[in-house]
Every structure is written in C-alpha cells, then in structure tokens.
C-alpha cells in the first residue's frame, strides 16, 4: 500500500444549469475560461503547485470532453506511476449495486476503495467549477495545528449578499459553531468556498454512517452540520485572495471581462503560480493590416482582420474583415464572418456566425421563460451552433444548433427568446 499524507478528490460532475446553453453539451468544469483555459485547470494546477500529486476527478454529466482534456494528466505533471490523476465516473459494483452520484458526499462514499488504496491521513475535497489560486498545503498546516477533524475554507463576502452562500459562524478561535445554508438573516459573512480538508479516518466513518441514512448524502446538507453538532473539531480557514464562483452567465461574463483590465485583479501571467492546461501546439496569432484590437485577450492561432474591443478570444478564432466584437467572449475554433457585429455575448466552441449578422442588439428584456439565467443583457450561443447571414439576435437570448434564415421571423430573434434546433 502506497501511503500518502493527503490526496485530493475533485468533484467535477456538475451540470452547471445556471450557465444555460453553455453547458448544454459540456460539463461546467470543462467550459473554457480566460481564452485558452478550462475551469478545471485551476484546481488541478493548484494541486500540483501545492505539492499534491494524487487527484481523483469525479465526473458524471457530459464527461467526454472533460475526460479527453484531462487525459493522463501530463500538462499538470500528474502522469505519475504512484498516484497521478484518475478519472472516476459512477460505476456498477457487484450485482446491481451502484448508481449515479446523488450528492457530493455520496460521490466520495462510492470511491472509498480508491481512497483506501493510498491510505491517506488527510483528504482534500474540491469543487471543479471555481476560479482561484490557492496553496492547499498552507490550509493543511492549519488543519494540523488545530487538530481538526474538518477544515473548511471560507472567504468574506459583502454582508448584503451573504444570504446567497453557506455561512460559517465561528468562535474567537476560528472553530465553527454553526453552519447556515443561505440564511435569510446571516450572522456573519464567512462564506464556504466548497473546499474541505478532512482527517480521512473521521470522514470515512461519517460517510458510511450518513449514506445509510441519506441517499443524497451531501457535505453542506448532512456531513458538515452533523460534524459540528457532534462536537467534532471543525475549523474555518480564511482565504483572502481572488476566488470566483462563476456559476451564472453574468458571473462568468464578468470574471472574463476582469481579465482584460490593464492591471487585472486575477493574474494569469504569474510565473510563480502557473495555471497549466492541455492545449496542443498552436499556430501563432495573425493580425491583419486593417485589424484593431483594444484591451483584449487573444489566444494562440487566432486570425484577426476586423475589430476586437474589451473581449476574450480562445484559440483558433477567426475574425473576418469588417467584424466588430465588443465586451464578448468567443471560445475556440469559432468563425465570425465578414461584417458581423457582436456585443455583450458569449459564443461557445466551434461556432459559425454568418456575414452581417448582429448579436446583442435591442432592449435588455429578461428572458421570457428563463429570467433566472438570462437577465443582465448577455446573449449566449451554444457550442457547434451555426447562425446564418443577415440576421439580428437581441439581448438575453440563447441560440443552439444549425439554424437557418427561415428559423428567424423577419430575420430577427427578439430579446429574451430562445432558438434551439
């Protein structure tokens, strides 16, 4: 048995339904971010930068792209004989035993055998859908110092939005005395980041016990409250740096736009704490004679002949002559044809936008059936979507599929509507 001090279990099976059409066929952790990265690159990079060389990645929803991206872990130096990265989808055990993961703790419970192979003293549980840089080894030192059974990373949020988070109330020593899930009147502003370190022996017992009670065993709903109520040593670890939960269209768009600032608050160019990704060798960028680029991120292999302002472009995006792109995110291998105009939109991977098409025009009317997803004026285009020439698409829209001009009444898709083919 190859004993490890700590291994990481990365929960990457989320559907990310609040990202609307962007996660129609792509798991949230596989969504591109900051041009060439995918969201899962951040926790994976944090692991290797923190000295953690054994990571189990728990997949479920649309795992194909995610599994292909992770591969054997070469970009993150996780192609190890003893440890490395292992993709852990749901599976059937003996007989008919086994099912889909039904909760965050349930997912870990189903992989106890994998964890026990390494006999770790501690286990780090991570979410695969947050963007941040964090040294998990510093959190582990706090866990040891406090003789904790569980340590939960927390970040201070404005008190007026604390009711949107799981809130940890602590005593003077930092010990958590109460956990409140999205309280109406929060007592503190210490929000859980969904990052936990457990002493494995304690957690294993808790998982086995709770999964005999709750089929949807969950850390936030069941395991952590039970540990607190059971007088286990549960401490908060305060994190004071950049962290974003980009679980909504608006939050995703804003986090990308922050990267285009002259001095971005989240630095992707840090040599000390690099973010690694699986991206094959790309051709160099080409910037045409008439091209204009201002305050934008342009990834490898892009060809720019038009104008790009305050936007983020992934690898191998082609922007033809006369195109104007403003305040937008264009993911990899997308072509924007001549004369198109895009403003405040998110275009996913491998799309084609027709000539003289306008996206993001008109009034910012909330989506008629999905205002909880599309209400801030951002229009989203799903991966592998084709949009024909000479159409106009409003704000707070979603479009998916191989669309034709006949699908657009009078050549338009009004604000707040969907076109799904």
């Amino acid at each position: 048995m190859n004993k490890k001090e700590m291994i990481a279990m990365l929960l990457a099976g989320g559907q990310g339904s609040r990202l609307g059409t962007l996660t129609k066929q792509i798991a949230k952790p596989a969504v591109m971010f900051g041009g060439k990265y995918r969201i899962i690159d951040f926790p994976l990079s944090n692991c290797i930068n923190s000295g953690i060389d054994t990571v189990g990645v728990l997949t479920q929803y649309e795992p194909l792209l995610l599994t292909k991206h992770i591969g054997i872990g070469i970009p993150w130096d996780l192609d190890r004989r003893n440890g490395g990265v292992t993709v852990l989808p749901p599976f059937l055990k003996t007989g008919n035993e086994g099912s889909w993961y039904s909760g965050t703790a349930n997912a870990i419970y189903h992989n106890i055998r994998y964890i026990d192979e390494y006999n770790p003293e501690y286990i780090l549980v991570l979410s695969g859908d947050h963007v941040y840089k964090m040294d998990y080894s510093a959190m582990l030192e706090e866990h040891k110092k406090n003789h904790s059974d569980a340590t939960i990373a927390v970040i201070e949020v404005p008190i007026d939005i604390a009711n949107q988070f799981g809130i940890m109330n602590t005593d003077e020593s930092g010990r958590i005395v109460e956990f409140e899930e999205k309280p109406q009147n929060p007592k503190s502003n210490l929000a859980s980041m969904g990052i936990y370190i457990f002493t494995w022996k304690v957690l294993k017992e808790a998982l086995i016990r709770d999964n005999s009670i709750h089929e949807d065993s969950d850390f936030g709903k069941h395991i952590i409250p039970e540990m607190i109520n059971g007088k286990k040593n549960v401490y908060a670890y305060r994190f004071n740096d950049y962290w974003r939960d980009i679980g909504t269209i608006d939050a995703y768009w804003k986090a990308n736009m922050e990267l285009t600032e002259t001095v971005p608050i989240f630095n992707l160019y840090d040599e000390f704490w690099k973010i690694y990704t699986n991206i094959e060798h790309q051709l160099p960028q080409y910037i045409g004679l008439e091209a204009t680029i201002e305050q934008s991120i342009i990834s490898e292999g892009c060809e720019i002949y038009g104008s790009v302002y305050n936007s983020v472009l992934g690898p191998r995006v082609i922007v033809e002559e006369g195109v104007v792109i403003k305040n937008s995110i264009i993911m990899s291998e997308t072509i924007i044809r001549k004369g198109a105009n895009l403003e405040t939109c998110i275009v996913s991977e491998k799309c084609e936008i027709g000539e003289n098409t306008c996206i993001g025009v008109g009034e910012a009317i909330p989506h008629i059936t999905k205002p909880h997803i599309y209400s801030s004026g951002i229009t989203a285009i799903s991966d592998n979507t084709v949009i024909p020439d000479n159409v106009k698409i409003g704000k707070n829209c979603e479009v998916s599929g191989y669309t034709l001009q006949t699908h657009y009444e009078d050549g338009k898709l009004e604000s707040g509507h969907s076109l799904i083919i």
Side-chain angles (χ1 to χ4, degrees), residues 260-273:
T260 68
E261 296 174 2
T262 304
V263 182
I265 59 176
F266 186 60
N267 183 8
L268 288 175
Y269 309 98
D270 186 355
E271 287 293 320
F272 174 71
W273 200 271

Side-chain angles (χ1 to χ4, degrees), residues 110 122 241 265 307:
H110 280 293
Y122 308 104
D241 210 331
I265 59 176
S307 300

Side-chain angles (χ1 to χ4, degrees), residues 63-349:
L64 181 60
L65 179 56
L66 199 59
T67 303
K68 182 180 177 182
H69 178 69
I70 294 169
I72 60 172
I74 292 175
W76 305 275
D77 192 26
L78 287 169
D79 52 329
R80 308 292 182 96
R81 178 173 294 180
N82 178 21
V85 65
T86 304
V87 176
L88 301 167
F91 63 97
L92 283 175
K93 299 179 184 177
T94 56
N96 293 320
E97 186 183 354
S99 62
W100 291 105
Y101 300 143
S102 57
T104 54
N106 176 264
I108 303 297
Y109 168 78
H110 280 293
N111 287 282
I112 286 176
R113 188 172 65 181
Y114 166 80
I115 298 169
D116 278 342
E117 285 184 9
Y118 299 101
N119 190 25
E121 190 167 353
Y122 308 104
I123 180 172
L124 171 67
V125 179
L126 303 171
S127 171
D129 50 16
H130 297 146
V131 172
Y132 63 107
K133 296 178 183 180
M134 183 176 182
D135 185 353
Y136 303 131
S137 65
M139 184 175 171
L140 178 59
E141 288 306 309
E142 283 284 311
H143 182 86
K144 293 177 181 177
K145 186 180 74 174
N146 292 324
H147 303 286
S148 297
D149 297 307
T151 300
I152 300 167
V154 298
I155 192 166
E156 292 187 11
V157 298
I159 193 67
D160 59 325
I161 63 169
N163 59 1
Q164 301 175 24
F165 297 87
I167 296 299
M168 303 292 168
N169 300 318
T170 66
D171 62 17
E172 298 80 3
S173 69
R175 183 169 180 162
I176 298 172
V177 296
E178 184 183 22
F179 169 68
E180 297 181 287
E181 179 63 29
K182 298 181 180 179
Q184 187 173 356
N185 298 299
K187 298 173 186 175
S188 79
N189 66 338
L190 294 180
S192 171
M193 298 168 62
I195 300 168
Y196 318 120
I197 290 179
F198 296 96
T199 299
W200 174 232
K201 180 181 178 181
V202 176
L203 177 60
K204 183 177 177 180
E205 292 174 355
L207 290 173
I208 293 170
R209 182 172 58 252
D210 195 70
N211 273 271
S212 68
I213 302 170
H214 302 108
E215 292 183 356
D216 59 344
S217 183
D218 185 87
F219 285 109
K221 295 177 183 177
H222 308 122
I223 300 292
I224 292 171
E226 178 60 29
M227 283 189 170
I228 295 170
N229 295 334
K231 306 302 180 184
K232 297 290 186 183
N233 288 329
V234 183
Y235 280 83
Y237 175 76
R238 290 177 180 252
F239 183 68
N240 299 309
D241 210 331
Y242 182 97
W243 175 83
R244 292 289 186 274
D245 180 350
I246 51 176
T248 66
I249 286 283
D250 189 42
Y252 175 81
W253 180 83
K254 285 179 179 177
N256 273 274
M257 292 299 102
E258 287 174 346
L259 300 175
T260 68
E261 296 174 2
T262 304
V263 182
I265 59 176
F266 186 60
N267 183 8
L268 288 175
Y269 309 98
D270 186 355
E271 287 293 320
F272 174 71
W273 200 271
K274 289 185 178 180
I275 303 299
Y276 303 95
T277 188
N278 185 1
I279 186 166
E280 67 274 15
H281 177 71
Q282 300 287 347
L283 296 171
Q285 303 165 355
Y286 179 78
I287 310 302
L289 184 63
E290 302 297 324
T292 301
I293 301 173
E294 292 183 6
Q295 201 166 328
S296 297
I297 293 175
I298 310 296
S299 299
E300 295 95 328
C302 287
E303 297 178 37
I304 311 297
Y305 303 94
S307 300
V308 181
Y309 304 97
N310 195 48
S311 295
V312 176
L313 273 58
R316 302 184 302 283
V317 170
I318 298 174
V319 178
E320 293 188 347
E321 296 91 341
V323 169
V324 178
I325 299 173
K326 295 181 180 178
N327 306 316
S328 295
I329 302 160
I330 314 296
M331 299 187 202
S332 66
E333 300 182 63
T334 287
I335 300 175
I336 315 295
R337 298 295 185 190
K338 294 178 182 179
N341 192 308
L342 285 70
E343 184 162 0
T344 317
C345 61
I346 303 171
V347 181
S348 194
E349 303 175 51

